[in-house]
Amino acid sequence: MPYLFGGLVVLNAITLGYYLFLQQPSTTQTLKTAKESITQPLTFTNSAKYIPPIIGSKD
């Protein structure tokens, strides 16, 4: 039984290593479509000027 468990652990490590390091990720069609549909970046609004001052400060 310990040999079976050890064998499964080794097999799992080999499979994990293959999927993490050797297999190149493939770009799906949905990802390609989403990247193409993004034409302009999101606008950023600095909302820090709307935060009230800390209680007790003289500002």
Side-chain angles (χ1 to χ4, degrees):
M1 203 59 148
Y3 296 114
L4 177 63
F5 179 73
L8 288 175
V9 168
V10 169
L11 181 64
N12 190 13
I14 292 171
T15 306
L16 181 67
Y18 170 73
Y19 280 109
L20 285 180
F21 301 112
L22 297 179
Q23 185 184 27
Q24 297 297 322
S26 62
T27 310
T28 60
Q29 185 62 32
T30 3
L31 181 61
K32 289 178 185 175
T33 308
K35 282 184 178 180
E36 290 171 358
S37 69
I38 298 174
T39 55
Q40 49 185 296
L42 298 173
T43 58
F44 175 74
T45 304
N46 187 4
S47 61
K49 61 182 177 182
Y50 303 113
I51 299 174
I54 299 174
I55 296 176
S57 66
K58 296 183 180 183
D59 293 337

